[in-house]
Amino acid sequence: MESQLLSAGWISEVSEWTTIPMGKHVLHRSHQEVAGRPVLGTEFVVKTGVSGVISWGAQCHPGATWPVLNDELDVDALLSAATEGLALTDMTVNLKGEWLLPTPVGGERIEFDHRAVREVEVRGTSEQGVPVQYRTLVDLEDGTVWLRQNEVKHV
């Protein structure tokens, strides 16, 4: 798959491809990376069959680069930002990987700033006794929490 993309002039860095057989077709999926880090919200999908490529699609940021971090936060500051305002009992915090986060910038034409973020997992129990597992994206430079999403599925 990579050699076909390169021969078509594709220049973005992509992760390893996953292959999913779907009857007589095969679905190939990947995402964009910059400096070895995934770019949030990107995806490459190619559907193939015996006659070759049937369809393809891409959501990507071709001009994305990893930013120069002038004043990167230390681990304690990242953890503090990730847990600020949370009143949880039995709280545990785990550092995960770094991501490149496209953030829209105003103007007539939609453009993106690309922020370096670190994923932090925060687990615990809320004041109501409900378990939580927050996926939190914290800006590596200024501590902004760009995402806090509870990944516990309640039934």
Side-chain angles (χ1 to χ4, degrees), residues 37-86:
R37 298 164 180 104
V39 180
L40 195 68
T42 61
E43 182 178 41
F44 303 101
V45 180
V46 180
K47 184 177 180 181
T48 60
V50 291
S51 60
V53 173
I54 296 168
S55 63
W56 63 274
Q59 292 179 189
C60 61
H61 294 265
T65 58
W66 188 258
V68 174
L69 301 175
N70 296 316
D71 195 19
E72 187 172 348
L73 296 177
D74 63 21
V75 171
D76 289 338
L78 283 171
L79 298 179
S80 177
T83 58
E84 185 177 346
L86 296 177

Side-chain angles (χ1 to χ4, degrees), residues 7-113:
S7 69
W10 190 259
I11 57 171
S12 287
E13 181 182 353
V14 295
S15 66
E16 287 189 33
W17 288 87
T18 58
T19 302
I20 305 161
M22 299 177 62
K24 60 183 180 177
H25 300 118
V26 177
L27 194 64
H28 308 271
R29 298 181 95 113
S30 184
H31 63 263
Q32 182 180 0
E33 292 187 344
V34 169
R37 298 164 180 104
V39 180
L40 195 68
T42 61
E43 182 178 41
F44 303 101
V45 180
V46 180
K47 184 177 180 181
T48 60
V50 291
S51 60
V53 173
I54 296 168
S55 63
W56 63 274
Q59 292 179 189
C60 61
H61 294 265
T65 58
W66 188 258
V68 174
L69 301 175
N70 296 316
D71 195 19
E72 187 172 348
L73 296 177
D74 63 21
V75 171
D76 289 338
L78 283 171
L79 298 179
S80 177
T83 58
E84 185 177 346
L86 296 177
L88 302 177
T89 57
D90 304 321
M91 186 185 309
T92 60
V93 182
N94 298 309
L95 288 175
K96 301 274 191 158
E98 294 179 346
W99 293 75
L100 189 65
L101 176 67
T103 57
V105 180
E108 287 185 25
R109 183 170 172 236
I110 296 177
E111 294 183 19
F112 293 89
D113 184 21

Side-chain angles (χ1 to χ4, degrees), residues 91-154:
M91 186 185 309
T92 60
V93 182
N94 298 309
L95 288 175
K96 301 274 191 158
E98 294 179 346
W99 293 75
L100 189 65
L101 176 67
T103 57
V105 180
E108 287 185 25
R109 183 170 172 236
I110 296 177
E111 294 183 19
F112 293 89
D113 184 21
H114 296 91
R115 303 296 302 176
V117 298
R118 182 79 181 252
E119 183 176 353
V120 181
E121 179 187 74
V122 181
R123 291 177 177 239
T125 305
S126 73
E127 294 171 327
Q128 295 79 25
V130 179
V132 297
Q133 178 183 334
Y134 291 119
R135 176 183 184 213
T136 309
L137 298 181
V138 181
D139 196 291
L140 284 171
E141 210 164 26
D142 65 13
T144 299
V145 173
W146 289 99
L147 172 77
R148 180 176 285 144
Q149 178 180 12
N150 190 358
E151 296 195 329
V152 171
K153 307 295 183 224
H154 300 280

